[in-house]
Each structure stands twice: as structure tokens, then as C-alpha cells.
Amino acid sequence: MTNIKKVSELAGVSTATVSRTLKSPEQVTEATRDKVMQAVKQAGYRPNWLASSVKSGKSNSIVVLVPNLTNPFFLRIIGGIEQAAQEKGYSVLLGDTQGDSKRENEYAGMVLSNRADGLIQLDHSFPFAPQDAELADNVPMVSVCERIEGERKYPVIELDNYAASRALAHHLVGYGHQKFAAIVGQISSQIYRERLAGIRSVLQEENLPLPDEMLVGGSYTIEAGIDGVRQLLKQPVRPTAIFCFNDDIAIGAIHEIKKHGLRVPQDISVVGFDNIKVSAFIDPPLTTVDQPAYDMGRRAFEVLSVLMRGESLTRIREILPFQLVERQSSGPAR
């Protein structure tokens, strides 16, 4: 096996710097980190993480709980987590929970049994079984996108969903829309509350209605978008603009709108949330909010690594920036 000395020669740095880069990349400059990682790749070097794991009593692995592994947005977050973890010699164990509390409890229990050193939760639920709640008090745990339910405040990496939804609402109001509807996600989540509050705040400022009967949905799926449009088109007044709480919902909504012989955006404008890759290539391309999912995942691991070292955080909530991406699925009201 190629040794660390070869890597140091290729990178033009000392063996100590190579070791520091691999174990604690945040302690070296970005330029040094890039040189070392390139040399590691060139040399085919594989650090002996197993030996250090046995010596330290740590597993050098983390658990990531994912409510739906087929969701492209979650896959982008996982990509960021994986990259950051790999740089620090950690393995990532994915638990596709499908919203099943028993599955969550089993995967989360891996941290309590020392099979993993920390946990990243991509849902809003507290993942430990009730009987393990006290044991979980000192578990390194970070959430991404949503805050974990309960009295204890865990570190969270999130978006300002309220502000992002206000941006979408201003966008549609600016096009002259007055008849709105929304196809929402899980109504038990903080994301639902914040996104709906953001939309309502703008509409209230403009004295525009969003009646309760124009709120449908309940899951972040393409099928929810399809079913939502079917329900909305049965209403006496057809909306001219639909807020979809993620891009999958929006894709289903556009499909069903066109299936009814209506046009997007000429008859109904549709906006989404997440900016998954396919949203730029559907017909018409989707107006949506871009979340920096990869960066959210990467930052989640960086925060988790601080906790796993037993260090304190200066803040427990980090809000990453969003961008409104205007495409052809939204346009003037007619």
C-alpha cells in the first residue's frame, strides 16, 4: 500500500501536514487541503481508519436518517454529507425510514450501541425510542431542513422557509394573480407552517384571499401534485396560480393540469420548491426556490464533527441562503 510519505512528496508538504489534513481538514488552508487530496488520489493512498478506530474506541461512522431515499433533494444533501465525511475518514450509514418510527428507532439506536458516533436527521421527528430518550441526551445529533420536535434544541441547518415563500408569493402577485391555491407537504412539520405563513403574509398585505378549501395535499410526492390538482379543479373558482411545497408536487401538478387540457402558465401558473435537477427540464421548466442542498449536507457534517469531538458550538441554528429561480412555469394572470 502506498504510504503517507509518498503523498507528502507528491503534495510538497510534510507528513504531519498530510496527517492533519486527513484527520482535521478544517485546520489547514483550502489550498493545502486541495493539494493533499489531489496527491492522495494520485497515489492511491488509503488511510488505515480501522486501526485508528480500534485504538480510539470510536466507530468512525455516522448514521443519516432519510424519510425518503428516492427524493432527489435528499440525495443532494446526502452527497454533501458523504463528501465531508469521507474527507475526515468517516463512513456514512443511510437509514431510509419512510417515516416509520420503528425504523427510525432501530437506526438511531446504532449510536447508543457504539456502532456509530453521531447522527444526522433529515426529518422533524425525534428518532429515538421513548425508553432511550434519556440515553440520547448526550448523543451528537444534527438536523437538516427541519428542527427536531421536542423540548431539547438540537443544532439545525436550514433555510429561511418563511422568507423564501414570501419571495414566491411576491413573484406571483407581481404577475397580477389574485386566485391562489397551494398543494402542501406534511402538515405536521415546521416547514409546512413556515412556508404557508410566508405565503399568507404577502397575500394578506395585498388583501388577497387563500381560502382553506384551496389548500390540499399532505405529502411531498408527484402523486400528491396529481391528486391536488384534481381536487382544486373541482372547486367553483379555478386558481390562476398554485404554490407547490416541493418540486415533486409541482411536477405532478403540471402533468395533471395539462391532462385536463389546460396550459401552464397561460391558464395556471405553477411554482415549486427545492430546484431539483429535473425541474429545469420539464415542460415547461419550473419556477422554484433553489436550496443549497449539497452545502446544507456538508455543513451538517461539519457541525456534527464538532459535537463528536466533545466541543461546544457557538450557535445551534444556521440559516443558508436561497435563490428564486424564475423559469417558464409562471407568468401573467389572464
Side-chain angles (χ1 to χ4, degrees):
M1 179 182 291
T2 307
N3 62 29
I4 198 170
K5 190 170 185 298
K6 178 66 173 176
V7 174
S8 71
E9 291 173 354
L10 289 170
V13 299
S14 68
T15 55
T17 297
V18 173
S19 180
R20 187 180 303 113
T21 302
L22 294 175
K23 292 180 180 178
S24 304
E26 75 283 354
Q27 295 181 10
V28 300
T29 66
E30 185 176 353
T32 298
R33 185 163 63 244
D34 290 344
K35 282 196 300 183
V36 171
M37 296 311 294
Q38 183 60 39
V40 166
K41 184 177 179 181
Q42 185 179 345
Y45 177 60
R46 295 293 181 270
N48 191 352
W49 300 116
L50 180 59
S52 62
S53 173
V54 172
K55 186 176 180 180
S56 67
K58 293 185 175 292
S59 69
N60 285 333
S61 59
I62 65 165
V63 174
V64 178
L65 301 182
V66 191
N68 182 358
L69 200 50
T70 64
N71 187 311
F73 175 66
F74 290 139
L75 292 178
R76 287 166 58 204
I77 294 176
I78 292 167
I81 295 172
E82 286 268 12
Q83 182 59 40
Q86 186 181 53
E87 289 174 6
K88 291 194 177 182
Y90 276 82
S91 299
V92 176
L93 310 173
L94 296 178
D96 186 5
T97 66
Q98 293 295 313
D100 185 316
S101 59
K102 187 175 179 182
R103 279 190 176 191
E104 277 194 332
N105 298 164
E106 290 173 353
Y107 285 123
M110 295 179 69
V111 186
L112 300 177
S113 59
N114 296 322
R115 288 177 288 166
D117 301 328
L119 186 151
I120 296 177
Q121 168 67 300
L122 271 59
D123 207 346
H124 62 278
S125 56
F126 180 73
F128 293 93
Q131 63 269 25
D132 292 334
E134 190 173 338
L135 288 172
D137 258 358
N138 297 315
V139 166
M141 180 161 63
V142 176
S143 65
V144 185
C145 303
E146 300 204 55
R147 291 164 229 160
I148 294 173
E149 295 173 337
E151 294 182 3
R152 183 175 172 190
K153 304 302 180 185
Y154 293 94
V156 58
I157 312 298
E158 62 181 338
L159 198 76
D160 189 336
N161 286 285
Y162 180 84
S165 295
R166 280 183 59 87
L168 280 175
H170 278 302
H171 169 74
L172 291 174
V173 168
Y175 270 132
H177 290 280
Q178 297 184 12
K179 301 171 185 176
F180 296 94
I183 307 176
V184 306
Q186 292 176 320
I187 61 174
S188 61
S189 75
Q190 153 229 335
I191 282 181
Y192 162 79
R193 294 189 293 272
E194 292 183 351
R195 291 181 184 173
L196 183 57
I199 293 166
R200 283 196 185 280
S201 69
V202 171
L203 299 188
Q204 287 169 358
E205 291 166 6
E206 300 291 335
N207 293 315
L208 295 170
L210 180 59
D212 288 343
E213 60 269 23
M214 302 306 280
L215 297 177
V216 297
S219 66
Y220 293 102
T221 62
I222 290 174
E223 290 76 16
I226 293 171
D227 292 341
V229 166
R230 288 174 181 168
Q231 293 177 57
L232 292 172
L233 292 183
K234 291 177 182 177
Q235 295 295 328
V237 177
R238 190 179 76 199
T240 64
I242 300 176
F243 297 98
C244 296
F245 276 33
N246 80 343
D247 288 353
D248 275 357
I249 293 173
I251 289 168
I254 289 173
H255 169 83
E256 191 64 18
I257 289 169
K258 292 164 70 174
K259 191 174 176 181
H260 280 77
L262 299 170
R263 300 165 299 166
V264 177
Q266 291 88 343
D267 297 310
I268 303 177
S269 285
V270 176
V271 296
F273 216 105
D274 290 346
N275 195 28
I276 61 175
K277 190 171 184 179
V278 70
S279 66
F281 302 100
I282 62 172
D283 181 26
L286 181 65
T287 294
T288 185
V289 168
D290 179 61
Q291 296 197 69
Y294 180 89
D295 293 337
M296 293 170 83
R298 188 175 183 89
R299 185 60 190 144
F301 180 82
E302 290 169 352
V303 171
L304 184 65
S305 67
V306 173
L307 298 178
M308 291 189 295
R309 292 197 300 269
E311 300 173 8
S312 298
L313 297 170
T314 55
R315 54 181 173 170
I316 64 168
R317 184 184 180 203
E318 295 191 27
I319 302 174
L320 274 62
F322 68 87
Q323 180 181 357
L324 177 62
V325 181
E326 183 176 359
R327 299 193 181 105
Q328 288 73 53
S329 69
S330 56
R334 298 187 181 183

